[in-house]
Amino acid sequence: MSTIKTKRLNLVLAPWILLAPFLLLFLLTFVLPILVAIGNSFTKVTRQGTFGEQGVHTDFAWFSNYAQALANGNFIASIGRMLLFGVVQVTVMIALCTLLALLLESASARWPGFFRAVYFLPYGIPGVIATILWSFLYVPGLSPLIDLGKVFGLQLDFLGAGSVLWSIANIVTWTYTGYNMMIIVAQLKSIPTDVYEAAKVDGASAWRVARSIQLPLIRPALVLTTVFSIIGTLQLFAEPQVLKSSAPAIDSEYTPNLSAYSTAFAYNDYNVAAAQAVLIALVAFLLSFIFLRITNRKSR
């Protein structure tokens, strides 16, 4: 009897033992930082003396940090800027990666494996390196595109106040289109071949197959990639941070993440920065929730 109980106990404990390393890392690197950030957003640190030599006090601040963050016009403007960025860039990127995936998975595609690797390659380049590479095409005096434009009488300014946001959007699109394309390709490969054979027997054209079969069946992948892209939009940091030295239009609070970074490490106000981080997370959650609700309604 005791042997049976021991076996049952082992069956219960075995999954938890195997999951323990992941759960420990998940708690330490994901859950704990979130809880600390939320806790810091509700506290205020006051220092007595010029350098805090007379003591440091931490007090509960209620929502004063959030009020201070929302009173920052630059922070609110950065969120609005990223909303505009997301509406345009995410739409273009999802349309482009869907088109590439459909072309690569079409019956007439040649060397699909080679082109999948080529399109996915930019994702393997770190954002900082990608921005530096693209800056050679953006900075006057270095960019061959600007020199070519002058030949035709065009004054191209990729880093001006009205164009730098879309220059950043170009880098992000170049980096992540291949990654999102691979998710959609994986969904396309899960479509049974019987469906394609039935469409071929009915005489459906490639356009008809894409519109009536492939697009409806890859809808979960499209929703997933769009949600990831919405969240990534509000996390934009590396590209504007690198371009800031070359583009006067990019200030220290150009994006929400840049604003939180500047508040924490330039102004040494970690509590307000924590409040900004929580607000960014809430906006990302709200936008993702609204998008999922809209798509779920349309699918009914």
Side-chain angles (χ1 to χ4, degrees):
M1 192 69 178
S2 60
T3 304
I4 296 175
K5 288 183 178 180
T6 302
K7 289 182 177 180
R8 288 179 177 177
L9 182 62
N10 291 336
L11 289 174
V12 173
L13 292 178
W16 292 105
I17 293 174
L18 294 174
L19 287 172
F22 165 76
L23 292 176
L24 182 61
L25 288 174
F26 181 76
L27 289 173
L28 292 177
T29 62
F30 186 78
V31 176
L32 184 60
I34 291 176
L35 295 177
V36 171
I38 294 174
N40 287 337
S41 69
F42 286 100
T43 59
K44 198 73 174 179
V45 176
T46 56
R47 295 173 175 82
Q48 304 294 329
T50 306
F51 301 102
E53 69 276 3
Q54 298 180 10
V56 178
H57 302 281
T58 302
D59 302 309
F60 189 72
W62 295 96
F63 291 96
S64 64
N65 291 324
Y66 289 92
Q68 187 173 340
L70 293 173
N72 184 351
N74 292 330
F75 176 67
I76 300 300
S78 69
I79 293 179
R81 188 179 295 114
M82 287 303 98
L83 291 178
L84 173 62
F85 178 94
V87 168
V88 177
Q89 188 272 329
V90 172
T91 302
V92 171
M93 181 175 64
I94 297 301
L96 182 59
C97 67
T98 303
L99 177 62
L100 291 175
L102 292 175
L103 290 175
L104 288 177
E105 292 303 305
S106 65
S108 59
R110 295 184 178 181
W111 309 304
F114 170 76
F115 284 105
R116 279 198 297 268
V118 170
Y119 295 146
F120 184 76
L121 182 62
Y123 180 72
I125 301 175
V128 173
I129 304 300
T131 306
I132 294 173
L133 293 175
W134 275 98
S135 66
F136 288 110
L137 299 177
Y138 291 158
V139 177
L142 296 176
S143 173
L145 296 179
I146 295 178
D147 295 336
L148 183 62
K150 290 179 179 179
V151 174
F152 294 96
L154 299 175
Q155 298 296 325
L156 300 177
D157 185 8
F158 295 110
L159 301 179
S163 58
V164 67
L165 183 65
W166 311 119
S167 296
I168 296 173
N170 175 65
I171 299 174
V172 174
T173 303
W174 178 80
T175 302
Y176 291 99
T177 295
Y179 170 79
N180 291 317
M181 180 201 70
M182 294 300 292
I183 296 176
I184 297 172
V185 166
Q187 185 81 66
L188 284 170
K189 288 185 176 298
S190 68
I191 300 176
T193 56
D194 297 342
V195 177
Y196 292 118
E197 292 174 358
K200 185 177 181 180
V201 170
D202 292 339
S205 63
W207 165 249
R208 180 70 175 179
V209 170
R211 184 169 63 89
S212 302
I213 296 176
Q214 292 176 315
L215 286 178
L217 292 180
I218 64 173
R219 184 177 171 277
L222 294 177
V223 172
L224 179 65
T225 53
T226 303
V227 170
F228 283 170
S229 300
I230 291 172
I231 296 172
T233 295
L234 289 168
Q235 295 178 345
L236 192 64
F237 178 81
E239 291 81 3
Q241 175 73 357
V242 174
L243 285 178
K244 186 171 64 172
S245 59
S246 303
I250 300 177
D251 57 23
S252 60
E253 296 182 290
Y254 193 75
T255 69
N257 264 4
L258 267 178
S259 180
Y261 176 85
S262 299
T263 302
F265 299 105
Y267 305 117
N268 294 321
D269 198 337
Y270 299 100
N271 303 109
V272 175
Q276 289 178 317
V278 173
L279 289 172
I280 294 169
L282 289 176
V283 172
F285 171 79
L286 181 62
L287 291 176
S288 302
F289 178 78
I290 293 173
F291 174 77
L292 290 173
R293 287 295 298 269
I294 293 174
T295 53
N296 287 337
R297 284 183 180 179
K298 289 183 178 180
S299 64
R300 292 176 183 175

